[in-house]
Amino acid sequence: MYMRKSYFLIILSLLLCSCSFAKKDDKMMASKDIVKLIDKAKDVVIFDKIITDDLDFSNIENQIIDGNANVNHTVTKDIVFIKCVFLGKVFASKKETTSHKTLFAGNVTFRTCDFRGELDLSNVVVNGCLSFAQSTFRENASFNGLQVKGNSSHFWDINAEKDFSMVKSSTVGSLNFMDAHFAGACMLQGTDCNTLQFSNVQCDSTLDFSTSSFRNSLFMNYGTFNGAVNFSKCQMNSSDIMNCQFLDNIDFSNSIILGLLRFNGSKFKGEVDSNKSFFLVQPSTEGIETSKPFKINVVNYSQLEIK
């Protein structure tokens, strides 16, 4: 009787191990299978998968060569990844003998994804909306030259463990980074969007918004910024930078603020440089705490030196 019970337990254990391995293998997915779906003009909706190798969107077959010998690839359907892990790199442009770029005709969604390798979606055009909400970037993430023509781009609650770069990007609608955490440098120079939501953000290193344009407003409340913050040569309308902690210097020089800018309740440990900036109305500084002199130099528009 004891022997039969032992055999039964051994067989049951083997069956459970077999099922466990099968389940794990079922979660694995090669990037070539994703490219095949795109080449067949099918919607890509992938949930809870582990992408085992590099995913290169510039490998898709749908391509046009322009007059400058650049190869432009087009993804015609929506792209949706939810709770996926990418073990390799993810990119959508490259330079070989010719330049390869990717256009996404629909929406692009990477929700709650884990990027273990580098992510580079530089010079990508998205005709719909873009979302990387609640995703983690364990290596450098680059969105330089990104163009989003939909009404929103979502990066809220992301976790960037290395450098995050979105230089000279353009978003027709709003850009949302609420609740994001940047462990490395956050480089957003030349950002152009309607409204930027940057509240409850933590930046452990430098933050650079220089030469950016917020056509409507900037909301940057309850944030913690451990490194230097650069807003030089920015343009914005009425905006809020309230209840924040700035532990290093802030450069607000040569900027144009065409509405009320409120610093209410914020704490400043470093210097604030607003040299040669234009404020349509005197900024509000109610309840601020400063360790060094806090001075806003309001100048006439004709004195600006913005290039």
Side-chain angles (χ1 to χ4, degrees):
M1 183 70 179
Y2 176 78
M3 291 293 291
R4 288 182 180 177
K5 188 176 181 180
S6 297
Y7 286 139
F8 173 76
L9 290 174
I10 292 171
I11 293 171
L12 180 61
S13 298
L14 290 172
L15 287 172
L16 288 174
C17 288
S18 177
C19 290
S20 176
F21 283 124
K23 188 174 181 180
K24 186 177 180 180
D25 289 341
D26 188 52
K27 290 188 66 171
M28 301 296 182
M29 187 173 192
S31 62
K32 65 180 181 180
D33 296 326
I34 299 170
V35 173
K36 286 179 182 178
L37 290 174
I38 296 172
D39 287 338
K40 292 178 181 178
K42 293 185 176 181
D43 287 332
V44 176
V45 181
I46 299 173
F47 176 79
D48 197 23
K49 294 287 187 181
I50 299 174
I51 316 304
T52 57
D53 55 344
D54 293 350
L55 174 57
D56 180 5
F57 286 104
S58 64
N59 274 339
I60 62 176
E61 294 178 354
N62 188 357
Q63 57 183 254
I64 297 176
I65 301 177
D66 64 23
N68 296 319
N70 297 315
V71 183
N72 299 310
H73 304 263
T74 302
V75 180
T76 59
K77 299 291 185 178
D78 289 346
I79 300 291
V80 179
F81 293 92
I82 299 176
K83 292 183 67 176
C84 290
V85 177
F86 296 85
L87 299 180
K89 297 179 181 179
V90 178
F91 51 100
S93 61
K94 59 189 175 186
K95 273 196 173 183
E96 296 174 336
T97 53
T98 57
S99 176
H100 293 252
K101 297 181 181 180
T102 304
L103 163 69
F104 294 90
N107 299 317
V108 177
T109 301
F110 291 86
R111 178 72 179 272
T112 321
C113 289
D114 185 346
F115 297 92
R116 304 289 176 86
E118 290 185 8
L119 171 73
D120 190 352
L121 294 189
S122 296
N123 301 311
V124 159
V125 177
V126 179
N127 282 344
C129 297
L130 176 67
S131 178
F132 280 85
Q134 296 182 311
S135 290
T136 298
F137 307 99
R138 301 190 186 274
E139 297 294 337
N140 293 339
S142 300
F143 298 86
N144 301 328
L146 171 72
Q147 297 182 54
V148 180
K149 299 182 179 180
N151 59 16
S152 60
S153 295
H154 297 287
F155 289 85
W156 50 268
D157 202 19
I158 64 168
N159 182 28
E161 297 183 356
K162 298 289 180 65
D163 291 347
F164 184 95
S165 179
M166 190 182 283
V167 176
K168 293 186 178 179
S169 69
S170 174
T171 302
V172 170
S174 61
L175 181 56
N176 190 344
F177 281 99
M178 190 170 184
D179 297 322
H181 176 216
F182 299 95
C186 182
M187 296 164 282
L188 302 171
Q189 304 98 302
T191 296
D192 180 40
C193 64
N194 187 38
T195 299
L196 176 65
Q197 175 57 263
F198 212 76
S199 295
N200 203 34
V201 169
Q202 178 176 332
C203 289
D204 297 338
S205 185
T206 56
L207 170 62
D208 194 343
F209 276 117
S210 59
T211 69
S212 292
S213 176
F214 313 118
R215 296 185 298 275
N216 191 355
S217 300
L218 163 68
F219 298 102
M220 191 173 173
N221 304 316
Y222 298 98
T224 301
F225 305 96
N226 295 313
V229 178
N230 191 348
F231 278 103
S232 64
K233 298 184 180 180
C234 278
Q235 299 186 44
M236 65 186 77
N237 290 309
S238 295
S239 297
D240 291 341
I241 305 179
M242 300 194 299
N243 299 298
C244 291
Q245 294 189 59
F246 296 97
L247 304 181
D248 206 329
N249 299 332
I250 303 177
D251 185 354
F252 239 107
S253 62
N254 289 288
S255 294
I256 302 175
I257 294 84
L258 297 175
L260 175 62
L261 177 59
R262 299 190 296 178
F263 290 106
N264 300 0
S266 290
K267 298 178 181 179
F268 301 89
K269 297 291 186 181
E271 296 180 354
V272 178
D273 180 7
S274 62
N275 186 40
K276 295 183 179 179
S277 286
F278 171 77
F279 296 84
L280 184 65
V281 295
Q282 184 71 29
S284 176
T285 57
E286 181 181 348
I288 69 169
E289 296 181 19
T290 63
S291 298
K292 296 184 179 181
F294 185 100
K295 186 178 180 181
I296 297 292
N297 299 316
V298 180
V299 302
N300 295 324
Y301 193 87
S302 60
Q303 294 177 263
L304 292 177
E305 294 184 3
I306 297 179
K307 298 179 181 179

